[in-house]
Amino acid sequence: MMRLPRHPSLIIGLAATAVFVALALLSLVWTPYPIAQIDIARRFQGPSGAHWLGTDFFGRDMASLVMSGTLTSFTVAAAAVVIGAGLGVPLGLAAAIWRGPVEWLILRGSDFVFAFPALVVAILITALIGPGAINAVVAIGVFNIPVFARVARGGALTVVSLDFVAAARLAGLSNAAIARRHLLPNIMGLVIVQATIQLALGILAEAGLSYIGLGTQPPATSLGLMLRDAQSLFVLHPFLSLVPGLVIIVIVIALNLAGDGLRDALDPRLKPVESAA
C-alpha cells in the first residue's frame, strides 16, 4: 500500500489536476458569465472584481471561457485515452498471451502508426473528415492505441511466465480467461500511469488542433481555440494569450507530476511509453 507523504509530486500533481477538473465540471452548471455573452463596451478589460481574469476582444469573460475551455480540453483528451486504452490494452494482452503471428501483426501495426508524427497525421485525419471536437477525439485516440498496446504487452510479458499463470493453464483456463483474470489486474498500475501521460499529451494535441482550426469549433471553446483567437492581438494585449497558455502549461505539468508520482508510488520500475504526439 502506497504512502502519499513519501510522494510529494503525486500529491501536488493530483491536487492541481483536481482543481482544474473541479473548475471544468463546475462550468457545466455555472460560470461567472455565459461564454457567448458579448459586451463590446467592456472588451480588453483587465482583471477586476467583476471579471476575475478580464475580458477578451468581444467583451466575453475570460474566467468563464477558461472554465469551459478546460472542460472541452479534458473531455477530448479523456475520451481519446478511453479509446486508446479500450482498444490498445486488449491488443497488447493478445500479443503477450497468444504470441506468434498475432503478436507479429500487432507489433507491425504499432510500428506503422509510430512511423508517422502523431500530430501531423491527426491534422490529416481531421482535414479529411472535417474539423470538430469529435473528430479530434478520433484522431488523437487512434495514436493512443499502439501506445497502450505496447505498454500492456510489455507488462503482460513479465507476468505471463510466472507460476500462477502456468497453473491457470493446467487448470484448463483459456488464453482469453487468463488474460482477463490474471494479466489485466497485474498491469493495471502501469496502464493507469500511462493514462495520465496520454491525458497530458491529449490536452496538448487538442490545443494544437484547435489552434490551427481543426479541433473545437465556435460557439464552443477550448484552450487552444482561445490561443488562436488571441494570437493577432498578442503585442497589444498579451494577457489574452498568456491566460490560456499558462493554464495548458500548468495542467500538463500537474498531470506529468501525478504520473511520475503514481509510477513511484505503485512501482518505481514502471516505465511509461512516451507518445510522439
Side-chain angles (χ1 to χ4, degrees), residues 66-84:
V66 166
M67 291 172 66
S68 296
T70 302
L71 175 65
T72 301
S73 298
F74 267 114
T75 301
V76 170
V81 167
V82 170
I83 291 174

Side-chain angles (χ1 to χ4, degrees), residues 121-132:
V121 182
I123 292 171
L124 176 62
I125 292 174
T126 52
L128 290 175
I129 62 180

Side-chain angles (χ1 to χ4, degrees), residues 27-270:
S27 72
L28 290 171
V29 295
W30 177 85
T31 54
Y33 296 87
I35 64 171
Q37 180 176 316
I38 296 175
D39 189 352
I40 299 299
R42 295 180 179 274
R43 65 178 185 164
F44 300 131
Q45 288 190 352
S48 64
H51 300 280
W52 304 332
L53 295 177
T55 60
D56 71 355
F57 46 89
F58 285 132
R60 297 176 298 180
D61 182 65
M62 287 287 288
S64 302
L65 291 172
V66 166
M67 291 172 66
S68 296
T70 302
L71 175 65
T72 301
S73 298
F74 267 114
T75 301
V76 170
V81 167
V82 170
I83 291 174
L87 297 176
V89 171
L91 288 175
L93 291 176
I97 198 73
W98 271 283
R99 307 300 297 269
V102 173
E103 182 181 34
W104 186 89
L105 285 173
I106 292 172
L107 290 179
R108 297 296 77 76
S110 297
D111 291 340
F112 178 79
V113 175
F114 279 136
F116 303 94
L119 189 56
V120 172
V121 182
I123 292 171
L124 176 62
I125 292 174
T126 52
L128 290 175
I129 62 180
I134 294 178
N135 294 339
V137 168
V138 175
I140 300 169
V142 164
F143 286 93
N144 280 338
I145 295 173
V147 174
F148 281 100
R150 285 182 174 272
V151 167
R153 172 184 172 271
L157 285 177
T158 64
V159 179
V160 74
S161 60
L162 298 180
D163 291 341
F164 67 88
V165 175
R169 292 186 189 278
L170 291 175
L173 287 181
S174 65
N175 284 336
I178 291 174
R180 184 178 67 254
R181 296 183 186 180
H182 299 290
L183 300 188
L184 182 59
N186 281 283
I187 66 167
M188 281 306 298
L190 183 56
V191 172
I192 291 171
V193 171
Q194 190 64 47
T196 62
I197 303 298
Q198 296 309 118
L199 186 61
L201 293 173
I203 288 175
L204 286 175
E206 189 282 330
L209 290 173
S210 295
Y211 183 79
I212 62 176
L214 294 176
T216 305
Q217 300 296 303
T221 189
S222 75
L223 298 175
L225 193 57
M226 291 177 67
L227 281 173
R228 188 192 72 175
D229 291 341
Q231 64 178 341
S232 61
L233 299 167
F234 180 76
V235 175
L236 296 176
H237 302 282
F239 193 70
L240 298 181
S241 298
L242 290 176
V243 170
L246 287 175
V247 170
I248 292 173
I249 291 172
V250 173
I251 291 174
V252 170
I253 291 175
L255 286 170
N256 278 281
L257 284 175
D260 289 342
L262 280 172
R263 180 196 62 200
D264 295 338
L266 294 173
D267 188 344
R269 296 170 297 177
L270 297 181

